[in-house]
mmCIF file of all heavy atoms in Angstrom:
data_model
loop_
_atom_site.group_PDB
_atom_site.id
_atom_site.type_symbol
_atom_site.label_atom_id
_atom_site.label_comp_id
_atom_site.label_asym_id
_atom_site.label_seq_id
_atom_site.Cartn_x
_atom_site.Cartn_y
_atom_site.Cartn_z
ATOM 1 N N MET A 1 0.870 -1.153 0.004
ATOM 2 C CA MET A 1 -0.030 -0.008 0.063
ATOM 3 C C MET A 1 0.826 1.257 0.019
ATOM 4 O O MET A 1 1.414 1.643 0.985
ATOM 5 C CB MET A 1 -0.866 -0.040 1.227
ATOM 6 C CG MET A 1 -1.889 1.097 1.241
ATOM 7 S SD MET A 1 -3.316 0.661 2.242
ATOM 8 C CE MET A 1 -4.370 1.887 1.667
ATOM 9 N N GLY A 2 0.967 1.865 -1.137
ATOM 10 C CA GLY A 2 1.846 3.104 -1.302
ATOM 11 C C GLY A 2 1.487 4.288 -0.426
ATOM 12 O O GLY A 2 2.278 4.985 -0.004
ATOM 13 N N THR A 3 0.241 4.439 -0.221
ATOM 14 C CA THR A 3 -0.243 5.710 0.415
ATOM 15 C C THR A 3 0.154 5.671 1.816
ATOM 16 O O THR A 3 0.653 6.730 2.324
ATOM 17 C CB THR A 3 -1.823 5.777 0.316
ATOM 18 O OG1 THR A 3 -2.248 5.632 -1.023
ATOM 19 C CG2 THR A 3 -2.266 7.036 0.866
ATOM 20 N N LEU A 4 0.087 4.559 2.523
ATOM 21 C CA LEU A 4 0.568 4.458 3.878
ATOM 22 C C LEU A 4 2.002 4.776 4.047
ATOM 23 O O LEU A 4 2.432 5.452 4.877
ATOM 24 C CB LEU A 4 0.289 3.099 4.483
ATOM 25 C CG LEU A 4 0.562 2.802 5.900
ATOM 26 C CD1 LEU A 4 -0.143 3.830 6.827
ATOM 27 C CD2 LEU A 4 0.225 1.432 6.265
ATOM 28 N N LYS A 5 2.881 4.273 3.194
ATOM 29 C CA LYS A 5 4.283 4.428 3.230
ATOM 30 C C LYS A 5 4.601 5.959 3.002
ATOM 31 O O LYS A 5 5.413 6.540 3.664
ATOM 32 C CB LYS A 5 4.944 3.645 2.103
ATOM 33 C CG LYS A 5 6.506 3.464 2.252
ATOM 34 C CD LYS A 5 7.023 2.428 1.309
ATOM 35 C CE LYS A 5 8.502 2.192 1.508
ATOM 36 N NZ LYS A 5 9.030 1.188 0.621
ATOM 37 N N GLU A 6 3.921 6.582 2.045
ATOM 38 C CA GLU A 6 4.103 7.990 1.754
ATOM 39 C C GLU A 6 3.755 8.823 3.060
ATOM 40 O O GLU A 6 4.450 9.760 3.357
ATOM 41 C CB GLU A 6 3.275 8.457 0.581
ATOM 42 C CG GLU A 6 3.821 7.976 -0.675
ATOM 43 C CD GLU A 6 2.742 8.100 -1.814
ATOM 44 O OE1 GLU A 6 1.896 8.963 -1.718
ATOM 45 O OE2 GLU A 6 2.864 7.396 -2.852
ATOM 46 N N MET A 7 2.664 8.506 3.601
ATOM 47 C CA MET A 7 2.208 9.248 4.850
ATOM 48 C C MET A 7 3.264 9.133 6.024
ATOM 49 O O MET A 7 3.517 10.074 6.711
ATOM 50 C CB MET A 7 0.876 8.669 5.275
ATOM 51 C CG MET A 7 -0.302 9.121 4.469
ATOM 52 S SD MET A 7 -1.890 8.292 4.931
ATOM 53 C CE MET A 7 -2.287 9.218 6.325
ATOM 54 N N LEU A 8 3.754 7.904 6.161
ATOM 55 C CA LEU A 8 4.751 7.638 7.217
ATOM 56 C C LEU A 8 6.086 8.426 6.948
ATOM 57 O O LEU A 8 6.532 9.082 7.878
ATOM 58 C CB LEU A 8 5.092 6.195 7.231
ATOM 59 C CG LEU A 8 4.090 5.231 7.935
ATOM 60 C CD1 LEU A 8 4.457 3.786 7.767
ATOM 61 C CD2 LEU A 8 3.860 5.583 9.437
ATOM 62 N N GLN A 9 6.468 8.480 5.676
ATOM 63 C CA GLN A 9 7.728 9.234 5.328
ATOM 64 C C GLN A 9 7.486 10.756 5.502
ATOM 65 O O GLN A 9 8.482 11.442 5.871
ATOM 66 C CB GLN A 9 8.139 8.958 3.938
ATOM 67 C CG GLN A 9 8.627 7.490 3.850
ATOM 68 C CD GLN A 9 8.912 7.077 2.373
ATOM 69 O OE1 GLN A 9 8.423 7.564 1.448
ATOM 70 N NE2 GLN A 9 9.716 6.009 2.213
ATOM 71 N N ALA A 10 6.335 11.227 5.291
ATOM 72 C CA ALA A 10 5.962 12.744 5.474
ATOM 73 C C ALA A 10 5.796 13.209 6.846
ATOM 74 O O ALA A 10 5.861 14.434 7.202
ATOM 75 C CB ALA A 10 4.873 13.082 4.595
ATOM 76 N N MET A 11 5.674 12.241 7.826
ATOM 77 C CA MET A 11 5.366 12.648 9.202
ATOM 78 C C MET A 11 6.581 12.623 10.091
ATOM 79 O O MET A 11 7.459 11.727 9.897
ATOM 80 C CB MET A 11 4.283 11.665 9.855
ATOM 81 C CG MET A 11 2.934 11.842 9.404
ATOM 82 S SD MET A 11 1.781 10.559 10.071
ATOM 83 C CE MET A 11 1.739 10.966 11.763
ATOM 84 N N LYS A 12 6.529 13.486 11.037
ATOM 85 C CA LYS A 12 7.658 13.561 12.028
ATOM 86 C C LYS A 12 7.165 12.967 13.344
ATOM 87 O O LYS A 12 7.723 12.165 13.898
ATOM 88 C CB LYS A 12 8.251 14.943 12.253
ATOM 89 C CG LYS A 12 8.933 15.433 10.984
ATOM 90 C CD LYS A 12 9.837 16.646 11.247
ATOM 91 C CE LYS A 12 10.593 16.974 9.949
ATOM 92 N NZ LYS A 12 11.612 18.010 10.156
ATOM 93 N N TYR A 13 6.024 13.491 13.786
ATOM 94 C CA TYR A 13 5.405 12.998 14.974
ATOM 95 C C TYR A 13 3.891 12.813 14.678
ATOM 96 O O TYR A 13 3.255 13.566 13.951
ATOM 97 C CB TYR A 13 5.507 13.997 16.145
ATOM 98 C CG TYR A 13 6.828 14.371 16.576
ATOM 99 C CD1 TYR A 13 7.583 15.547 16.177
ATOM 100 C CD2 TYR A 13 7.586 13.532 17.520
ATOM 101 C CE1 TYR A 13 8.819 15.806 16.650
ATOM 102 C CE2 TYR A 13 8.833 13.783 17.886
ATOM 103 C CZ TYR A 13 9.495 15.005 17.419
ATOM 104 O OH TYR A 13 10.735 15.245 17.810
ATOM 105 N N GLY A 14 3.316 11.806 15.401
ATOM 106 C CA GLY A 14 1.830 11.753 15.198
ATOM 107 C C GLY A 14 1.449 10.280 15.144
ATOM 108 O O GLY A 14 2.268 9.308 15.515
ATOM 109 N N SER A 15 0.299 9.993 14.735
ATOM 110 C CA SER A 15 -0.208 8.609 14.625
ATOM 111 C C SER A 15 -1.052 8.441 13.362
ATOM 112 O O SER A 15 -1.696 9.414 12.866
ATOM 113 C CB SER A 15 -1.065 8.296 15.880
ATOM 114 O OG SER A 15 -2.220 9.113 15.990
ATOM 115 N N ILE A 16 -1.175 7.226 12.917
ATOM 116 C CA ILE A 16 -2.018 6.905 11.785
ATOM 117 C C ILE A 16 -2.955 5.841 12.249
ATOM 118 O O ILE A 16 -2.550 4.803 12.857
ATOM 119 C CB ILE A 16 -1.185 6.430 10.564
ATOM 120 C CG1 ILE A 16 -0.376 7.628 10.031
ATOM 121 C CG2 ILE A 16 -2.146 5.983 9.502
ATOM 122 C CD1 ILE A 16 0.574 7.221 8.840
ATOM 123 N N THR A 17 -4.281 6.024 12.059
ATOM 124 C CA THR A 17 -5.249 4.993 12.456
ATOM 125 C C THR A 17 -5.785 4.320 11.128
ATOM 126 O O THR A 17 -6.139 5.055 10.197
ATOM 127 C CB THR A 17 -6.481 5.658 13.110
ATOM 128 O OG1 THR A 17 -5.947 6.417 14.208
ATOM 129 C CG2 THR A 17 -7.442 4.637 13.631
ATOM 130 N N LEU A 18 -5.838 3.094 11.094
ATOM 131 C CA LEU A 18 -6.371 2.374 9.985
ATOM 132 C C LEU A 18 -7.797 1.878 10.366
ATOM 133 O O LEU A 18 -7.978 1.249 11.347
ATOM 134 C CB LEU A 18 -5.487 1.036 9.709
ATOM 135 C CG LEU A 18 -4.063 1.318 9.518
ATOM 136 C CD1 LEU A 18 -3.340 0.009 9.241
ATOM 137 C CD2 LEU A 18 -3.802 2.238 8.342
ATOM 138 N N ILE A 19 -8.751 2.115 9.462
ATOM 139 C CA ILE A 19 -10.125 1.602 9.612
ATOM 140 C C ILE A 19 -10.302 0.479 8.572
ATOM 141 O O ILE A 19 -10.040 0.665 7.318
ATOM 142 C CB ILE A 19 -11.126 2.699 9.416
ATOM 143 C CG1 ILE A 19 -11.140 3.773 10.465
ATOM 144 C CG2 ILE A 19 -12.556 2.119 9.338
ATOM 145 C CD1 ILE A 19 -10.138 4.833 10.402
ATOM 146 N N VAL A 20 -10.561 -0.696 9.121
ATOM 147 C CA VAL A 20 -10.637 -1.864 8.311
ATOM 148 C C VAL A 20 -12.119 -2.376 8.207
ATOM 149 O O VAL A 20 -12.871 -2.384 9.316
ATOM 150 C CB VAL A 20 -9.833 -3.021 8.934
ATOM 151 C CG1 VAL A 20 -9.862 -4.237 8.124
ATOM 152 C CG2 VAL A 20 -8.319 -2.529 8.901
ATOM 153 N N GLN A 21 -12.511 -2.730 7.032
ATOM 154 C CA GLN A 21 -13.891 -3.387 6.931
ATOM 155 C C GLN A 21 -13.738 -4.590 6.030
ATOM 156 O O GLN A 21 -13.113 -4.514 4.960
ATOM 157 C CB GLN A 21 -14.806 -2.391 6.215
ATOM 158 C CG GLN A 21 -16.228 -2.793 6.302
ATOM 159 C CD GLN A 21 -17.194 -1.697 5.833
ATOM 160 O OE1 GLN A 21 -16.805 -0.537 5.651
ATOM 161 N NE2 GLN A 21 -18.411 -2.015 5.604
ATOM 162 N N ASP A 22 -14.283 -5.753 6.490
ATOM 163 C CA ASP A 22 -14.142 -7.035 5.704
ATOM 164 C C ASP A 22 -12.689 -7.317 5.308
ATOM 165 O O ASP A 22 -12.462 -7.859 4.172
ATOM 166 C CB ASP A 22 -15.052 -6.988 4.406
ATOM 167 C CG ASP A 22 -16.493 -6.799 4.784
ATOM 168 O OD1 ASP A 22 -16.927 -7.338 5.822
ATOM 169 O OD2 ASP A 22 -17.251 -6.070 3.982
ATOM 170 N N GLY A 23 -11.703 -7.114 6.232
ATOM 171 C CA GLY A 23 -10.372 -7.452 6.014
ATOM 172 C C GLY A 23 -9.632 -6.524 5.062
ATOM 173 O O GLY A 23 -8.536 -6.751 4.774
ATOM 174 N N LYS A 24 -10.251 -5.399 4.640
ATOM 175 C CA LYS A 24 -9.553 -4.421 3.817
ATOM 176 C C LYS A 24 -9.537 -3.119 4.393
ATOM 177 O O LYS A 24 -10.431 -2.665 5.079
ATOM 178 C CB LYS A 24 -10.327 -4.310 2.418
ATOM 179 C CG LYS A 24 -10.283 -5.561 1.508
ATOM 180 C CD LYS A 24 -11.068 -5.496 0.254
ATOM 181 C CE LYS A 24 -10.964 -6.600 -0.468
ATOM 182 N NZ LYS A 24 -12.150 -6.820 -1.388
ATOM 183 N N ILE A 25 -8.501 -2.387 4.197
ATOM 184 C CA ILE A 25 -8.294 -1.017 4.727
ATOM 185 C C ILE A 25 -9.161 -0.154 3.908
ATOM 186 O O ILE A 25 -8.974 0.057 2.712
ATOM 187 C CB ILE A 25 -6.864 -0.496 4.725
ATOM 188 C CG1 ILE A 25 -5.973 -1.440 5.582
ATOM 189 C CG2 ILE A 25 -6.788 0.935 5.193
ATOM 190 C CD1 ILE A 25 -4.445 -1.064 5.466
ATOM 191 N N ILE A 26 -10.246 0.480 4.570
ATOM 192 C CA ILE A 26 -11.111 1.461 3.726
ATOM 193 C C ILE A 26 -10.903 2.900 4.133
ATOM 194 O O ILE A 26 -11.269 3.679 3.340
ATOM 195 C CB ILE A 26 -12.628 1.047 4.060
ATOM 196 C CG1 ILE A 26 -12.866 1.240 5.548
ATOM 197 C CG2 ILE A 26 -12.885 -0.209 3.568
ATOM 198 C CD1 ILE A 26 -14.365 1.341 5.810
ATOM 199 N N GLN A 27 -10.154 3.199 5.083
ATOM 200 C CA GLN A 27 -9.853 4.543 5.515
ATOM 201 C C GLN A 27 -8.621 4.711 6.321
ATOM 202 O O GLN A 27 -8.275 3.845 7.126
ATOM 203 C CB GLN A 27 -11.025 5.105 6.352
ATOM 204 C CG GLN A 27 -11.060 6.506 6.641
ATOM 205 C CD GLN A 27 -12.312 6.979 7.281
ATOM 206 O OE1 GLN A 27 -13.438 6.438 7.042
ATOM 207 N NE2 GLN A 27 -12.221 7.962 8.092
ATOM 208 N N LEU A 28 -7.947 5.771 6.130
ATOM 209 C CA LEU A 28 -6.688 6.115 6.848
ATOM 210 C C LEU A 28 -6.929 7.395 7.544
ATOM 211 O O LEU A 28 -7.358 8.344 6.847
ATOM 212 C CB LEU A 28 -5.429 6.266 6.004
ATOM 213 C CG LEU A 28 -4.899 4.961 5.313
ATOM 214 C CD1 LEU A 28 -3.880 5.308 4.355
ATOM 215 C CD2 LEU A 28 -4.410 4.018 6.311
ATOM 216 N N GLU A 29 -6.586 7.525 8.912
ATOM 217 C CA GLU A 29 -6.749 8.799 9.493
ATOM 218 C C GLU A 29 -5.374 9.234 10.010
ATOM 219 O O GLU A 29 -4.677 8.460 10.788
ATOM 220 C CB GLU A 29 -7.742 8.705 10.734
ATOM 221 C CG GLU A 29 -9.157 8.579 10.264
ATOM 222 C CD GLU A 29 -10.100 8.478 11.471
ATOM 223 O OE1 GLU A 29 -9.642 8.632 12.637
ATOM 224 O OE2 GLU A 29 -11.229 8.103 11.192
ATOM 225 N N LYS A 30 -4.924 10.415 9.622
ATOM 226 C CA LYS A 30 -3.656 10.858 10.038
ATOM 227 C C LYS A 30 -3.760 11.965 11.189
ATOM 228 O O LYS A 30 -4.550 12.847 10.982
ATOM 229 C CB LYS A 30 -2.810 11.400 8.919
ATOM 230 C CG LYS A 30 -1.435 11.840 9.251
ATOM 231 C CD LYS A 30 -0.634 12.088 8.000
ATOM 232 C CE LYS A 30 -0.740 13.670 7.702
ATOM 233 N NZ LYS A 30 0.289 14.011 6.678
ATOM 234 N N ASN A 31 -3.086 11.751 12.259
ATOM 235 C CA ASN A 31 -3.168 12.758 13.379
ATOM 236 C C ASN A 31 -1.651 13.195 13.593
ATOM 237 O O ASN A 31 -0.931 12.458 14.160
ATOM 238 C CB ASN A 31 -3.655 11.990 14.702
ATOM 239 C CG ASN A 31 -4.161 13.009 15.698
ATOM 240 O OD1 ASN A 31 -3.922 14.217 15.583
ATOM 241 N ND2 ASN A 31 -4.750 12.498 16.670
ATOM 242 N N GLU A 32 -1.417 14.318 13.087
ATOM 243 C CA GLU A 32 -0.029 14.766 13.161
ATOM 244 C C GLU A 32 0.156 15.873 14.298
ATOM 245 O O GLU A 32 -0.579 16.678 14.450
ATOM 246 C CB GLU A 32 0.402 15.336 11.814
ATOM 247 C CG GLU A 32 1.836 15.617 11.774
ATOM 248 C CD GLU A 32 2.341 15.761 10.273
ATOM 249 O OE1 GLU A 32 1.407 15.764 9.291
ATOM 250 O OE2 GLU A 32 3.515 15.938 10.009
ATOM 251 N N LYS A 33 1.256 15.616 15.010
ATOM 252 C CA LYS A 33 1.525 16.590 16.043
ATOM 253 C C LYS A 33 2.772 17.506 15.576
ATOM 254 O O LYS A 33 3.713 16.994 14.963
ATOM 255 C CB LYS A 33 1.889 15.869 17.343
ATOM 256 C CG LYS A 33 0.826 15.073 17.874
ATOM 257 C CD LYS A 33 1.072 14.508 19.281
ATOM 258 C CE LYS A 33 -0.065 13.605 19.735
ATOM 259 N NZ LYS A 33 -1.348 13.960 19.518
ATOM 260 N N VAL A 34 2.639 18.780 15.969
ATOM 261 C CA VAL A 34 3.706 19.719 15.587
ATOM 262 C C VAL A 34 4.379 20.188 16.907
ATOM 263 O O VAL A 34 3.520 20.713 17.689
ATOM 264 C CB VAL A 34 3.279 20.942 14.742
ATOM 265 C CG1 VAL A 34 4.343 21.835 14.582
ATOM 266 C CG2 VAL A 34 2.580 20.416 13.430
ATOM 267 N N ARG A 35 5.608 20.030 17.104
ATOM 268 C CA ARG A 35 6.266 20.391 18.308
ATOM 269 C C ARG A 35 6.761 21.913 18.205
ATOM 270 O O ARG A 35 7.487 22.252 17.262
ATOM 271 C CB ARG A 35 7.564 19.526 18.457
ATOM 272 C CG ARG A 35 7.225 18.050 18.627
ATOM 273 C CD ARG A 35 6.880 17.565 19.955
ATOM 274 N NE ARG A 35 6.335 16.195 19.941
ATOM 275 C CZ ARG A 35 6.361 15.458 20.938
ATOM 276 N NH1 ARG A 35 6.910 15.761 22.005
ATOM 277 N NH2 ARG A 35 5.871 14.253 20.833
ATOM 278 N N LEU A 36 6.309 22.682 19.144
ATOM 279 C CA LEU A 36 6.811 24.124 19.183
ATOM 280 C C LEU A 36 7.896 24.260 20.252
ATOM 281 O O LEU A 36 7.594 23.820 21.282
ATOM 282 C CB LEU A 36 5.636 25.026 19.455
ATOM 283 C CG LEU A 36 4.433 24.950 18.527
ATOM 284 C CD1 LEU A 36 3.349 25.804 18.962
ATOM 285 C CD2 LEU A 36 4.785 25.217 17.100
ATOM 286 N N LYS A 37 9.025 24.859 19.819
ATOM 287 C CA LYS A 37 10.048 24.851 20.847
ATOM 288 C C LYS A 37 10.121 26.348 21.321
ATOM 289 O O LYS A 37 9.972 27.382 20.698
ATOM 290 C CB LYS A 37 11.399 24.498 20.122
ATOM 291 C CG LYS A 37 11.437 23.022 19.777
ATOM 292 C CD LYS A 37 12.706 22.596 19.299
ATOM 293 C CE LYS A 37 12.730 21.227 18.973
ATOM 294 N NZ LYS A 37 13.974 20.665 18.385
#
């Protein structure tokens, strides 16, 4: 799945939630955190 790999490479901090239906990924939710210094 190319989309997931691209999302992971573009993120620094955060989480990705996979929504699965009938054994197939139907939705990806990206929750990205930005650190302010």
